Amino acid sequence: MTSPSTRSAARDDDATRRRTPAPARTRLAAAVAAVVIVGAGLALRAVAAGDVAKYGGDALYTLLLFALVLVAAPRTAPGKAAALALAVSWAVEFLQLTGGPAYLAGQSTAARLVLGSTFNAPDLFWYAVGAAAGWLAVRRA
């Protein structure tokens, strides 16, 4: 027969397992989300123009980075994943002040898509929106 404290510990372990997704499941969900985010970005470019497409794309860019962090390191806390995605997005944006991304964008479509070409201060805000959206989505899941 098990003691009450053993039964309580078993219930706590079961509750923890239900709240904490397995790394493989997190990795799969994040990979699927990354594909969906890329599709959303392509769809946004196809149906919208101007600021909606640009700033929506900025938020989706950081949201994609957030998902990729979780693919690479599924045990990463949502706040840390969001902070890392935001830091990388901001670093890429500030790198555009050097002219290097503009040069690379002229050489490669992939570089243009990943690095952009021109610094735009409002992008910094929209990257934060994307990071916050990722953090909220994972916290609610």
PDB file of all heavy atoms in Angstrom, residues 61 92-93 96 99-106 108-119 123 127:
ATOM      1  N   TYR A  61       8.612  37.942 -39.139  1.00  0.00           N
ATOM      2  CA  TYR A  61      10.042  37.618 -39.166  1.00  0.00           C
ATOM      3  C   TYR A  61      10.513  37.225 -37.768  1.00  0.00           C
ATOM      4  O   TYR A  61      11.161  36.193 -37.576  1.00  0.00           O
ATOM      5  CB  TYR A  61      10.810  38.840 -39.690  1.00  0.00           C
ATOM      6  CG  TYR A  61      12.310  38.715 -39.742  1.00  0.00           C
ATOM      7  CD1 TYR A  61      12.944  38.150 -40.839  1.00  0.00           C
ATOM      8  CD2 TYR A  61      13.104  39.198 -38.709  1.00  0.00           C
ATOM      9  CE1 TYR A  61      14.321  38.065 -40.904  1.00  0.00           C
ATOM     10  CE2 TYR A  61      14.479  39.106 -38.764  1.00  0.00           C
ATOM     11  CZ  TYR A  61      15.086  38.547 -39.865  1.00  0.00           C
ATOM     12  OH  TYR A  61      16.463  38.463 -39.921  1.00  0.00           O
ATOM     13  N   VAL A  92      19.997  42.427 -36.603  1.00  0.00           N
ATOM     14  CA  VAL A  92      19.954  42.471 -38.071  1.00  0.00           C
ATOM     15  C   VAL A  92      19.551  43.873 -38.531  1.00  0.00           C
ATOM     16  O   VAL A  92      20.142  44.420 -39.470  1.00  0.00           O
ATOM     17  CB  VAL A  92      18.995  41.394 -38.636  1.00  0.00           C
ATOM     18  CG1 VAL A  92      18.720  41.618 -40.112  1.00  0.00           C
ATOM     19  CG2 VAL A  92      19.578  40.006 -38.402  1.00  0.00           C
ATOM     20  N   GLU A  93      18.579  44.468 -37.867  1.00  0.00           N
ATOM     21  CA  GLU A  93      18.134  45.818 -38.249  1.00  0.00           C
ATOM     22  C   GLU A  93      19.265  46.826 -38.072  1.00  0.00           C
ATOM     23  O   GLU A  93      19.521  47.645 -38.959  1.00  0.00           O
ATOM     24  CB  GLU A  93      16.915  46.228 -37.429  1.00  0.00           C
ATOM     25  CG  GLU A  93      16.245  47.491 -37.919  1.00  0.00           C
ATOM     26  CD  GLU A  93      15.575  47.342 -39.274  1.00  0.00           C
ATOM     27  OE1 GLU A  93      15.149  46.231 -39.632  1.00  0.00           O
ATOM     28  OE2 GLU A  93      15.480  48.356 -39.995  1.00  0.00           O
ATOM     29  N   GLN A  96      21.965  46.842 -40.639  1.00  0.00           N
ATOM     30  CA  GLN A  96      21.644  47.533 -41.887  1.00  0.00           C
ATOM     31  C   GLN A  96      22.226  48.940 -41.935  1.00  0.00           C
ATOM     32  O   GLN A  96      22.388  49.511 -43.014  1.00  0.00           O
ATOM     33  CB  GLN A  96      20.127  47.570 -42.088  1.00  0.00           C
ATOM     34  CG  GLN A  96      19.540  46.210 -42.347  1.00  0.00           C
ATOM     35  CD  GLN A  96      18.030  46.191 -42.299  1.00  0.00           C
ATOM     36  OE1 GLN A  96      17.387  47.200 -42.013  1.00  0.00           O
ATOM     37  NE2 GLN A  96      17.455  45.029 -42.577  1.00  0.00           N
ATOM     38  N   GLY A  99      25.582  49.098 -44.148  1.00  0.00           N
ATOM     39  CA  GLY A  99      25.615  48.971 -45.596  1.00  0.00           C
ATOM     40  C   GLY A  99      25.944  47.563 -46.061  1.00  0.00           C
ATOM     41  O   GLY A  99      25.767  47.245 -47.238  1.00  0.00           O
ATOM     42  N   GLY A 100      26.423  46.722 -45.182  1.00  0.00           N
ATOM     43  CA  GLY A 100      26.737  45.329 -45.546  1.00  0.00           C
ATOM     44  C   GLY A 100      25.526  44.561 -46.053  1.00  0.00           C
ATOM     45  O   GLY A 100      25.597  43.933 -47.116  1.00  0.00           O
ATOM     46  N   PRO A 101      24.411  44.601 -45.342  1.00  0.00           N
ATOM     47  CA  PRO A 101      23.228  43.898 -45.838  1.00  0.00           C
ATOM     48  C   PRO A 101      22.754  44.417 -47.200  1.00  0.00           C
ATOM     49  O   PRO A 101      22.301  43.643 -48.036  1.00  0.00           O
ATOM     50  CB  PRO A 101      22.180  44.143 -44.758  1.00  0.00           C
ATOM     51  CG  PRO A 101      22.989  44.278 -43.513  1.00  0.00           C
ATOM     52  CD  PRO A 101      24.219  45.044 -43.960  1.00  0.00           C
ATOM     53  N   ALA A 102      22.868  45.714 -47.444  1.00  0.00           N
ATOM     54  CA  ALA A 102      22.449  46.258 -48.740  1.00  0.00           C
ATOM     55  C   ALA A 102      23.321  45.670 -49.851  1.00  0.00           C
ATOM     56  O   ALA A 102      22.818  45.311 -50.919  1.00  0.00           O
ATOM     57  CB  ALA A 102      22.538  47.780 -48.741  1.00  0.00           C
ATOM     58  N   TYR A 103      24.612  45.582 -49.600  1.00  0.00           N
ATOM     59  CA  TYR A 103      25.510  44.984 -50.583  1.00  0.00           C
ATOM     60  C   TYR A 103      25.134  43.525 -50.834  1.00  0.00           C
ATOM     61  O   TYR A 103      25.008  43.086 -51.974  1.00  0.00           O
ATOM     62  CB  TYR A 103      26.965  45.091 -50.127  1.00  0.00           C
ATOM     63  CG  TYR A 103      27.902  44.307 -51.004  1.00  0.00           C
ATOM     64  CD1 TYR A 103      28.272  44.805 -52.245  1.00  0.00           C
ATOM     65  CD2 TYR A 103      28.370  43.058 -50.612  1.00  0.00           C
ATOM     66  CE1 TYR A 103      29.112  44.065 -53.076  1.00  0.00           C
ATOM     67  CE2 TYR A 103      29.206  42.328 -51.430  1.00  0.00           C
ATOM     68  CZ  TYR A 103      29.570  42.830 -52.659  1.00  0.00           C
ATOM     69  OH  TYR A 103      30.392  42.097 -53.480  1.00  0.00           O
ATOM     70  N   LEU A 104      24.952  42.765 -49.752  1.00  0.00           N
ATOM     71  CA  LEU A 104      24.605  41.349 -49.883  1.00  0.00           C
ATOM     72  C   LEU A 104      23.233  41.167 -50.534  1.00  0.00           C
ATOM     73  O   LEU A 104      23.039  40.224 -51.305  1.00  0.00           O
ATOM     74  CB  LEU A 104      24.643  40.668 -48.518  1.00  0.00           C
ATOM     75  CG  LEU A 104      26.024  40.565 -47.885  1.00  0.00           C
ATOM     76  CD1 LEU A 104      25.914  40.049 -46.456  1.00  0.00           C
ATOM     77  CD2 LEU A 104      26.942  39.683 -48.710  1.00  0.00           C
ATOM     78  N   ALA A 105      22.298  42.070 -50.241  1.00  0.00           N
ATOM     79  CA  ALA A 105      20.973  41.991 -50.846  1.00  0.00           C
ATOM     80  C   ALA A 105      21.054  42.156 -52.359  1.00  0.00           C
ATOM     81  O   ALA A 105      20.280  41.557 -53.100  1.00  0.00           O
ATOM     82  CB  ALA A 105      20.050  43.040 -50.246  1.00  0.00           C
ATOM     83  N   GLY A 106      22.007  42.957 -52.818  1.00  0.00           N
ATOM     84  CA  GLY A 106      22.214  43.120 -54.250  1.00  0.00           C
ATOM     85  C   GLY A 106      22.801  41.883 -54.904  1.00  0.00           C
ATOM     86  O   GLY A 106      22.674  41.681 -56.111  1.00  0.00           O
ATOM     87  N   SER A 108      22.225  38.609 -53.638  1.00  0.00           N
ATOM     88  CA  SER A 108      21.455  37.393 -53.383  1.00  0.00           C
ATOM     89  C   SER A 108      20.047  37.719 -52.896  1.00  0.00           C
ATOM     90  O   SER A 108      19.876  38.533 -51.980  1.00  0.00           O
ATOM     91  CB  SER A 108      22.187  36.557 -52.327  1.00  0.00           C
ATOM     92  OG  SER A 108      21.361  35.598 -51.748  1.00  0.00           O
ATOM     93  N   THR A 109      19.073  37.065 -53.483  1.00  0.00           N
ATOM     94  CA  THR A 109      17.691  37.224 -53.030  1.00  0.00           C
ATOM     95  C   THR A 109      17.541  36.696 -51.609  1.00  0.00           C
ATOM     96  O   THR A 109      16.843  37.290 -50.785  1.00  0.00           O
ATOM     97  CB  THR A 109      16.729  36.483 -53.976  1.00  0.00           C
ATOM     98  OG1 THR A 109      16.887  37.021 -55.285  1.00  0.00           O
ATOM     99  CG2 THR A 109      15.293  36.638 -53.529  1.00  0.00           C
ATOM    100  N   ALA A 110      18.198  35.585 -51.300  1.00  0.00           N
ATOM    101  CA  ALA A 110      18.116  35.025 -49.946  1.00  0.00           C
ATOM    102  C   ALA A 110      18.653  36.015 -48.917  1.00  0.00           C
ATOM    103  O   ALA A 110      18.050  36.203 -47.855  1.00  0.00           O
ATOM    104  CB  ALA A 110      18.873  33.701 -49.868  1.00  0.00           C
ATOM    105  N   ALA A 111      19.767  36.656 -49.235  1.00  0.00           N
ATOM    106  CA  ALA A 111      20.325  37.647 -48.310  1.00  0.00           C
ATOM    107  C   ALA A 111      19.372  38.818 -48.140  1.00  0.00           C
ATOM    108  O   ALA A 111      19.206  39.340 -47.029  1.00  0.00           O
ATOM    109  CB  ALA A 111      21.677  38.139 -48.815  1.00  0.00           C
ATOM    110  N   ARG A 112      18.722  39.232 -49.211  1.00  0.00           N
ATOM    111  CA  ARG A 112      17.757  40.333 -49.123  1.00  0.00           C
ATOM    112  C   ARG A 112      16.585  39.949 -48.221  1.00  0.00           C
ATOM    113  O   ARG A 112      16.126  40.748 -47.405  1.00  0.00           O
ATOM    114  CB  ARG A 112      17.253  40.714 -50.515  1.00  0.00           C
ATOM    115  CG  ARG A 112      16.302  41.897 -50.487  1.00  0.00           C
ATOM    116  CD  ARG A 112      15.870  42.329 -51.882  1.00  0.00           C
ATOM    117  NE  ARG A 112      15.337  41.261 -52.691  1.00  0.00           N
ATOM    118  CZ  ARG A 112      14.088  40.791 -52.632  1.00  0.00           C
ATOM    119  NH1 ARG A 112      13.245  41.310 -51.764  1.00  0.00           N
ATOM    120  NH2 ARG A 112      13.682  39.822 -53.411  1.00  0.00           N
ATOM    121  N   LEU A 113      16.112  38.712 -48.343  1.00  0.00           N
ATOM    122  CA  LEU A 113      14.984  38.271 -47.528  1.00  0.00           C
ATOM    123  C   LEU A 113      15.351  38.134 -46.051  1.00  0.00           C
ATOM    124  O   LEU A 113      14.551  38.438 -45.170  1.00  0.00           O
ATOM    125  CB  LEU A 113      14.438  36.945 -48.055  1.00  0.00           C
ATOM    126  CG  LEU A 113      13.765  37.011 -49.429  1.00  0.00           C
ATOM    127  CD1 LEU A 113      13.449  35.598 -49.925  1.00  0.00           C
ATOM    128  CD2 LEU A 113      12.518  37.856 -49.379  1.00  0.00           C
ATOM    129  N   VAL A 114      16.549  37.665 -45.786  1.00  0.00           N
ATOM    130  CA  VAL A 114      16.966  37.424 -44.401  1.00  0.00           C
ATOM    131  C   VAL A 114      17.493  38.689 -43.723  1.00  0.00           C
ATOM    132  O   VAL A 114      17.178  38.957 -42.563  1.00  0.00           O
ATOM    133  CB  VAL A 114      18.028  36.299 -44.335  1.00  0.00           C
ATOM    134  CG1 VAL A 114      18.598  36.151 -42.943  1.00  0.00           C
ATOM    135  CG2 VAL A 114      17.434  34.987 -44.811  1.00  0.00           C
ATOM    136  N   LEU A 115      18.288  39.474 -44.453  1.00  0.00           N
ATOM    137  CA  LEU A 115      18.969  40.616 -43.849  1.00  0.00           C
ATOM    138  C   LEU A 115      18.338  41.965 -44.145  1.00  0.00           C
ATOM    139  O   LEU A 115      18.659  42.951 -43.486  1.00  0.00           O
ATOM    140  CB  LEU A 115      20.433  40.652 -44.312  1.00  0.00           C
ATOM    141  CG  LEU A 115      21.280  39.439 -43.962  1.00  0.00           C
ATOM    142  CD1 LEU A 115      22.662  39.566 -44.593  1.00  0.00           C
ATOM    143  CD2 LEU A 115      21.385  39.272 -42.458  1.00  0.00           C
ATOM    144  N   GLY A 116      17.473  42.029 -45.144  1.00  0.00           N
ATOM    145  CA  GLY A 116      16.933  43.324 -45.529  1.00  0.00           C
ATOM    146  C   GLY A 116      18.021  44.169 -46.160  1.00  0.00           C
ATOM    147  O   GLY A 116      19.089  43.670 -46.512  1.00  0.00           O
ATOM    148  N   SER A 117      17.766  45.459 -46.273  1.00  0.00           N
ATOM    149  CA  SER A 117      18.789  46.301 -46.895  1.00  0.00           C
ATOM    150  C   SER A 117      18.898  47.681 -46.272  1.00  0.00           C
ATOM    151  O   SER A 117      19.964  48.271 -46.272  1.00  0.00           O
ATOM    152  CB  SER A 117      18.504  46.447 -48.398  1.00  0.00           C
ATOM    153  OG  SER A 117      17.240  47.046 -48.591  1.00  0.00           O
ATOM    154  N   THR A 118      17.799  48.200 -45.720  1.00  0.00           N
ATOM    155  CA  THR A 118      17.783  49.577 -45.253  1.00  0.00           C
ATOM    156  C   THR A 118      17.242  49.650 -43.831  1.00  0.00           C
ATOM    157  O   THR A 118      16.201  49.070 -43.527  1.00  0.00           O
ATOM    158  CB  THR A 118      16.866  50.430 -46.166  1.00  0.00           C
ATOM    159  OG1 THR A 118      17.182  50.155 -47.517  1.00  0.00           O
ATOM    160  CG2 THR A 118      17.052  51.905 -45.902  1.00  0.00           C
ATOM    161  N   PHE A 119      17.946  50.389 -42.985  1.00  0.00           N
ATOM    162  CA  PHE A 119      17.486  50.575 -41.609  1.00  0.00           C
ATOM    163  C   PHE A 119      16.187  51.378 -41.603  1.00  0.00           C
ATOM    164  O   PHE A 119      16.045  52.369 -42.308  1.00  0.00           O
ATOM    165  CB  PHE A 119      18.550  51.311 -40.785  1.00  0.00           C
ATOM    166  CG  PHE A 119      18.126  51.573 -39.370  1.00  0.00           C
ATOM    167  CD1 PHE A 119      18.222  50.587 -38.410  1.00  0.00           C
ATOM    168  CD2 PHE A 119      17.607  52.807 -38.996  1.00  0.00           C
ATOM    169  CE1 PHE A 119      17.814  50.811 -37.099  1.00  0.00           C
ATOM    170  CE2 PHE A 119      17.199  53.045 -37.699  1.00  0.00           C
ATOM    171  CZ  PHE A 119      17.315  52.043 -36.750  1.00  0.00           C
ATOM    172  N   ASP A 123      10.617  49.486 -37.644  1.00  0.00           N
ATOM    173  CA  ASP A 123      10.735  48.023 -37.666  1.00  0.00           C
ATOM    174  C   ASP A 123      11.022  47.471 -36.272  1.00  0.00           C
ATOM    175  O   ASP A 123      10.557  46.375 -35.921  1.00  0.00           O
ATOM    176  CB  ASP A 123      11.854  47.569 -38.607  1.00  0.00           C
ATOM    177  CG  ASP A 123      11.535  47.810 -40.074  1.00  0.00           C
ATOM    178  OD1 ASP A 123      10.393  48.191 -40.390  1.00  0.00           O
ATOM    179  OD2 ASP A 123      12.448  47.610 -40.903  1.00  0.00           O
ATOM    180  N   TYR A 127       9.147  44.252 -34.591  1.00  0.00           N
ATOM    181  CA  TYR A 127       9.845  43.042 -34.158  1.00  0.00           C
ATOM    182  C   TYR A 127       9.415  42.681 -32.731  1.00  0.00           C
ATOM    183  O   TYR A 127       9.213  41.514 -32.412  1.00  0.00           O
ATOM    184  CB  TYR A 127      11.362  43.235 -34.199  1.00  0.00           C
ATOM    185  CG  TYR A 127      11.932  43.443 -35.577  1.00  0.00           C
ATOM    186  CD1 TYR A 127      12.980  44.334 -35.779  1.00  0.00           C
ATOM    187  CD2 TYR A 127      11.457  42.746 -36.681  1.00  0.00           C
ATOM    188  CE1 TYR A 127      13.529  44.519 -37.032  1.00  0.00           C
ATOM    189  CE2 TYR A 127      11.993  42.936 -37.939  1.00  0.00           C
ATOM    190  CZ  TYR A 127      13.036  43.829 -38.108  1.00  0.00           C
ATOM    191  OH  TYR A 127      13.578  44.016 -39.350  1.00  0.00           O
TER     192      TYR A 127
END
